[in-house]
Amino acid sequence: LNVSGKGTPSGDPVALAINSASAALVESGLPLLSPAGCVRVCLMIDGEMIIDPSPTQLENSRLDLLYAGSRDRTLMLEFCAKPTEFESSSSAERELIGIPEEEVADIIRFAQGHVLAIIEAQERIPVKIRVGNNDRDLRLRLASDLGIAQRMDDADELRTMEKEAYTSRMQEKLQDAFDYVYETLEDVVLRLFSGTSVSNEAEESDEISLSKFVRGMRENAVREEVKALIFERYHDISEEEQKFLQSSVLKKLMKEGMRRAAIDGNRRSDGRSLKSIRPISMSAPLFPDSVHGSAIFTRGETQVICTATLGAPKEGLPLSTLYSTASEFDPNSFPKVSPVQDLPVGSLRSTKNEMALISDLNSRKIKADREQTGDSGTLDEVQRAFLHYDFPSFSTGEALGPKGPSANRRAIGHGSLAERALLPALPPVSQFPYSLRVTSEVTSSNGSSSMATTSGATLALLDAGVRILAPIAGVSIGLVVDENHRHSTNETDAFSSLKNYAILVDLTGTEDYYGEMDFKVAGSPHGITAMQLDVKYPGGVPIDILIDAMVAAKNAREEIFDAMSDANRGGIADFQPRRGLKTTAPRVEVIRFDPVRKRDLIGPGGAILKQLESHYGVALDLSQEGQCLLHGRDAEMVGKAMAAVMDLVADVEEGGIYEGVVMAVKDFGAVVELLRNKEGLLHVSELTDDEGILNNPEGNLGVVKEMVKVGDKIRVLCIGVDPVEGSIRLSRKRLKDDDLYNYSSAATGPIHEEASRSSDAWRLELIKDANRARNERGSHSAHTSSKKKQRL
């Protein structure tokens, strides 16, 4: 079953698998609360919602939603906003990262409408065999279909009757045991899940009593009491039956205690109210500057340590080795050990011999990234940004050794969710041409470690100097439902709206285990960037409850953002990244030029290119489109190499941003030297809008002297080039904060005389060599043309 949208349908394999499996169950006659339907939805830039989008439509969309539901409830969803390029958008538009909750709600309702059509199609499928409750019924039904009477011997019939009687007897005992234990321990479990003591006083002031360890000790005490009560009442039954009653009664008792405490008392096991989040603390940076960016983020007893590492674009996660396409896949080329052990956990990539499916969320940007960075196209395709999520056993207080690949399904899922949440907030490659590796080490876990990762990663990226488009945070939302409304006696009302429930914000491990839902929602202040829903409630969760949960998650995110932007609490004030990268981080620059001048940069036999790389200790990658990607480890040498390359091939153009040296200070402005000894005028009116500086008592000259000095290296914007005289007009006040201090250059200020362009003799000699080579090419072309004319 597949629902096709406009254009060529994609036949999404996940949606097809769910729809096909549900249809097979319907046809088999197995008992189901409802068939299930699944669709993939995307939202286009113009606001059009498309079911089952084609790859092209999905690539150009704003979001990707995989949604599964029953007749009127949600069973599963995975949602992510798409990374967007902001080449010409205003700074205000850049802050609009994520999809607002109202739009997400509309998209979910849209998807549910199409799921209903799939379910109705499944309900029209004829049932081949209606399976009964036991083997005896099935055998009799099959014999009846054949027109014969099924003969059953007495022993077979006796075993069937004994099995039915035993099951019915155990169910009666289970209900009787629960009623007996609940009547005895009702007040005990209410105190357990309300965070209160026998004196009925809340223990909120005593943080130790509300810790995970102490709550576990209290649960163990209740467990032992349940065992004693079961043995006291049913001492004459077998040990196996006692264990069954103990485990079943204990789980049912805990779930009922948590429901009663939340719904009736508005309390939780750690003493919080339903909508409150746990105490938050953080610190950035955490490690010395040898680490490009680091942070520690703690919420309650969940703590993560995050780092951010920068590299050249080609140093991203390779896709053409372990992530070969289906046509290139060769099982014999893989290493003997599981490749998952050697790859970042939680990345959206998975090896072909593990899952045979590759998420294309980030790979769709590879082509565009290559065009913007100036990659020559000969490099292997790489995933530019990825997240490594690690969940060691000690984070839950266990001393277990590795029993297999660290990339288990849980770690991959949690890391993938955090990665999808962060990707839309990363600056585009055209503005930040670096590869990014973010790691998250969970040092302590008591729920929502993947959501804590989004906050810790945000702080680590800011500490690394990455100008993210918006901060990202996340929280997990839970659900408890009154037992009286859990099941309906009327089968037609089995999917009516829930009448009595409570939403829990910032789940702990206990609430996740005994609750009915784990709904992870991550996003920016503007909207949602990623979601994942895990439903345990039979039949699914009504959409109205999901919408209420998204609103609760938004309010919780605002509280988390307030804490993260509070420098006094260890956060980063106003989410402003450090100015400039750390000295240990690599430097990357992108230089654009006329493709015709590419030969001037390469030189005869690549001589000039090799000289540049050898002299400055950098690497250069060229493209046919006229772009040069320059990267190295030393910021000063990268800056000098950039100046040399621009002297060779670049021209001053209106709208371009350039780094120049102040050559003279006048009362009307400053003279700035740009490319190949070209000079431009930075008029006093284009220096600043600061009234305090403009009111200098020395007049215009004082304003200019206060802003710049001779020898200063500054970044300026070209606002005009006279086509006749060639005069260049510059501006500094029109530069945005992102452009005043570029990522790879050191802080502005006076530079040494030997570093200035006019005194760099080696670079001038290099320019002369390039001009000489250009003249030789011109003479050779003229000589060749003359010979052709003679032959004619």
Side-chain angles (χ1 to χ4, degrees), residues 29-196:
L30 288 171
L32 292 174
L33 291 177
S34 169
C38 181
V39 294
R40 186 177 291 278
V41 184
C42 74
L43 177 66
M44 305 306 292
I45 304 298
D46 58 3
E48 181 185 8
M49 290 180 279
I50 298 178
I51 294 289
D52 190 24
S54 66
T56 301
Q57 291 169 332
L58 196 61
E59 180 179 355
N60 299 321
S61 65
R62 294 175 54 200
L63 62 86
D64 181 6
L65 170 65
L66 182 67
Y67 179 89
S70 60
R71 177 167 287 276
D72 59 357
R73 293 191 186 183
T74 302
L75 297 174
M76 179 276 295
L77 68 82
E78 289 188 357
F79 168 94
C80 63
K82 304 289 286 300
T84 306
E85 295 286 350
F86 292 96
E87 291 292 339
S88 60
S89 301
S90 64
S91 59
E93 291 176 323
R94 295 184 185 185
E95 297 175 358
L96 303 182
I97 301 300
I99 309 298
E101 283 72 12
E102 297 80 7
E103 289 189 49
V104 175
D106 292 339
I107 294 167
I108 291 177
R109 292 192 180 97
F110 176 78
Q112 177 62 36
H114 289 271
V115 162
L116 183 59
I118 295 176
I119 291 176
E120 291 174 348
Q122 294 182 40
E123 291 175 342
R124 293 192 294 269
I125 297 176
V127 178
K128 292 185 176 179
I129 300 175
R130 177 68 65 183
V131 179
N133 294 327
N134 52 59
D135 294 340
R136 180 174 178 270
D137 291 342
L138 176 59
R139 291 166 61 182
L140 291 174
R141 189 179 300 277
L142 291 175
S144 176
D145 291 341
L146 293 173
I148 60 176
Q150 175 65 29
R151 300 180 182 274
M152 298 183 64
D153 55 28
D154 295 338
D156 190 9
E157 188 170 2
L158 181 61
R159 284 194 298 269
T160 301
M161 294 174 62
E162 289 178 348
K163 182 179 179 182
E164 293 175 355
Y166 176 79
T167 302
S168 176
R169 186 171 63 252
M170 288 306 298
Q171 291 297 326
E172 292 176 0
K173 285 185 178 180
L174 176 59
Q175 185 60 44
D176 178 71
F178 174 75
D179 293 339
Y180 173 68
V181 172
Y182 187 74
E183 182 180 358
T184 307
L185 301 180
E186 179 179 4
D187 294 336
V188 174
V189 293
L190 285 178
R191 285 193 291 269
L192 174 64
F193 284 99
S194 300
T196 58

Side-chain angles (χ1 to χ4, degrees), residues 307-577:
T307 63
T309 305
L310 309 181
K314 67 178 182 180
E315 294 176 353
L317 189 66
L319 300 179
S320 59
T321 53
L322 295 177
Y323 305 122
S324 303
T325 61
S327 60
E328 300 172 349
F329 173 65
D330 180 10
N332 298 324
S333 65
F334 279 78
K336 298 301 180 183
V337 298
S338 174
V340 180
Q341 298 177 358
D342 305 322
L343 296 175
V345 178
S347 173
L348 290 180
R349 306 292 180 244
S350 57
T351 55
K352 279 288 184 181
N353 62 341
E354 289 287 332
M355 295 184 182
L357 292 175
I358 298 179
S359 170
D360 61 346
L361 174 65
N362 208 24
S363 62
R364 288 190 297 269
K365 294 177 84 273
I366 292 175
K367 181 179 180 181
D369 291 351
R370 184 165 62 241
E371 292 176 353
Q372 293 175 24
T373 58
D375 190 338
S376 61
T378 60
L379 300 176
D380 293 335
E381 290 186 344
V382 296
Q383 180 181 350
R384 175 207 172 202
F386 55 94
L387 184 141
H388 183 149
Y389 174 92
D390 193 14
F391 191 88
S393 57
F394 66 75
S395 65
T396 54
E398 299 174 334
L400 301 176
K403 295 183 178 180
S406 59
N408 53 61
R409 291 195 303 168
R410 183 193 179 282
I412 291 177
H414 282 63
S416 175
L417 177 63
E419 182 179 277
R420 289 197 300 263
L422 291 167
L423 282 177
L426 297 180
V429 175
S430 57
Q431 301 173 17
F432 192 74
Y434 291 82
S435 60
L436 285 166
R437 182 192 184 191
V438 179
T439 67
S440 175
E441 175 106 3
V442 182
T443 59
S444 176
S445 176
N446 188 19
S448 303
S449 59
S450 61
M451 297 294 92
T453 294
T454 60
S455 299
T458 294
L459 296 174
L461 289 168
L462 292 172
D463 179 56
V466 181
R467 293 188 179 275
I468 57 177
L469 304 179
I472 302 296
V475 69
S476 186
I477 307 297
L479 175 70
V480 291
V481 180
D482 191 344
E483 183 70 17
N484 296 327
H485 302 287
R486 183 178 178 85
H487 299 290
S488 174
T489 56
N490 187 352
E491 185 176 354
T492 59
D493 295 334
F495 296 95
S496 60
S497 297
L498 300 177
K499 298 178 181 178
N500 201 1
Y501 65 91
I503 290 177
L504 308 180
V505 175
D506 189 17
L507 283 184
T508 62
T510 301
E511 293 166 340
D512 183 11
Y513 182 76
Y514 292 118
E516 309 292 358
M517 176 182 79
D518 183 8
F519 189 23
K520 294 181 174 64
V521 184
S524 68
H526 175 257
I528 300 172
T529 56
M531 294 191 302
Q532 188 179 71
L533 175 64
D534 176 19
V535 175
K536 306 171 189 176
Y537 192 81
V541 176
I543 293 178
D544 291 340
I545 292 182
L546 287 185
I547 296 174
D548 292 344
M550 287 190 291
V551 174
K554 179 181 180 180
N555 297 333
R557 284 203 313 275
E558 292 175 354
E559 188 174 345
I560 296 172
F561 286 136
D562 290 341
M564 292 171 62
S565 63
D566 187 355
N568 295 327
R569 299 175 62 178
I572 297 180
D574 299 326
F575 299 110
Q576 292 299 315

Side-chain angles (χ1 to χ4, degrees), residues 579-591:
R579 179 169 292 178
L581 305 182
K582 294 183 180 180
T583 56
T584 56
R587 267 39 181 193
V588 178
E589 290 287 356
V590 177
I591 305 170

